[in-house]
Amino acid sequence: MELTRQSKIWGYHYDRFKHKEQSYVIQNQILADCIGIGAGSSRSKERPIVGFNYGKDNGYQLLTYLTELALGFRRLPWCQDRNYRRGIYNEEKYIYEILKQLDPNTIEQLVSEIKTIYEHTQAELSKVGLSKVKLVRHIAAKDNNYAQTIMGIRSCAELLGKNDIEFEMDILNSFSCEDGAYGHLSDVQIYHEFDASDVLYCSSLLHSGEKDRIFMESGEWVVINRSANGIVSLPTDSVTYDKTKWSDGLELESNKRKAQEILEERTPFHIRQEREFDMRYASLGKHPKWKRKLAEILLK
């Protein structure tokens, strides 16, 4: 698949760091921090947001929430983005500092600017005649086995001759138009042609306004998954991985019966519910007297 390269359409992302005329400059610093690097590893009470371009942490969490509000879609309550329940920088002292900034007026401004960014992206893609974009996503295998799950269902589908596979994908996903980017860290590659309407923004069309500062990676596209249950269905051939680097412990590449069992028994849904969380509040020294205790006893 020939990828849709930003450099061929708008020139190289950094000339180096020059704002191109087609770039929208983000106005709100909170939003710039959510999308870019933000505080990175140097978070503090003064700058508590860790940006999406640094990792999927509190900046990504806030960005996905705002994007859902701005574009009018929502995940089902049992199928929330997996990144809502993680975040190494989600210490309460930093979340508290973020919450203090999010009054109703600020949230409204943030939602409005995301709408503006999306509309700007769509207008610029339309100007150059793009109704589809061909991209690749590189996924590294980690302890959560996300990449390994995709490998396994890909093997089953290939052996059984199935045209499509289903798996969960985050609300916002970073794709690339540079096939070699991060190839040494990539265990699974997803090649797919997306509707241009699924692109929230890309590196050539967005800038933070900070001079001489890298904001996004060259050739990066951020693609929206609007699925209410988080599941996407993609052609089997769009997913690749190097079989020589991975064992096939369940014989999913050779045992049709086992492959069929896996696909029949396995559900693509990942149900997330907080089974244990603290619902208590501070008593602030208020304790029931005998009249209140007696009323409770009589009501039983």
Side-chain angles (χ1 to χ4, degrees), residues 11 35 74 82 95 127 132-133 155 170-171 179 182 195 211 213 216 220 227 268 288 297:
I35 292 174
R74 290 293 303 273
R82 62 193 175 126
I95 298 301
K127 281 182 186 178
K132 302 278 187 180
V133 290
S155 295
D170 298 338
I171 292 173
D179 201 21
Y182 298 103
D195 290 335
K211 186 178 179 182
R213 179 179 172 87
M216 291 178 64
E220 183 178 3
S227 169
I297 292 170

Side-chain angles (χ1 to χ4, degrees), residues 14 46 94 101 130 158 190 196 250 284 286:
Y14 313 118
E46 291 71 33
Y94 299 124
Q101 301 177 54
L130 283 178
E158 180 182 12
I190 300 174
L250 296 181
L284 300 180
K286 298 297 182 182

Side-chain angles (χ1 to χ4, degrees), residues 5-18:
R5 300 188 186 278
Q6 295 183 41
S7 58
K8 288 186 177 181
I9 302 168
W10 298 292
Y12 284 96
H13 178 36
Y14 313 118
D15 276 344
R16 179 128 169 134
F17 310 109
K18 287 183 181 177

Side-chain angles (χ1 to χ4, degrees), residues 162-216:
K162 298 200 176 283
N163 295 325
D164 302 293
I165 58 175
E166 291 184 322
F167 55 91
E168 184 186 29
M169 192 177 283
D170 298 338
I171 292 173
L172 297 178
N173 301 275
S174 180
F175 279 76
S176 177
C177 57
E178 306 295 335
D179 201 21
Y182 298 103
H184 61 294
L185 298 174
S186 176
D187 292 293
V188 171
Q189 303 79 39
I190 300 174
Y191 294 88
H192 191 60
E193 182 178 60
F194 293 94
D195 290 335
S197 60
D198 290 333
V199 178
L200 180 58
Y201 56 81
C202 65
S203 55
S204 291
L205 300 179
L206 195 62
H207 202 279
S208 68
E210 294 184 74
K211 186 178 179 182
D212 297 340
R213 179 179 172 87
I214 294 177
F215 179 59
M216 291 178 64

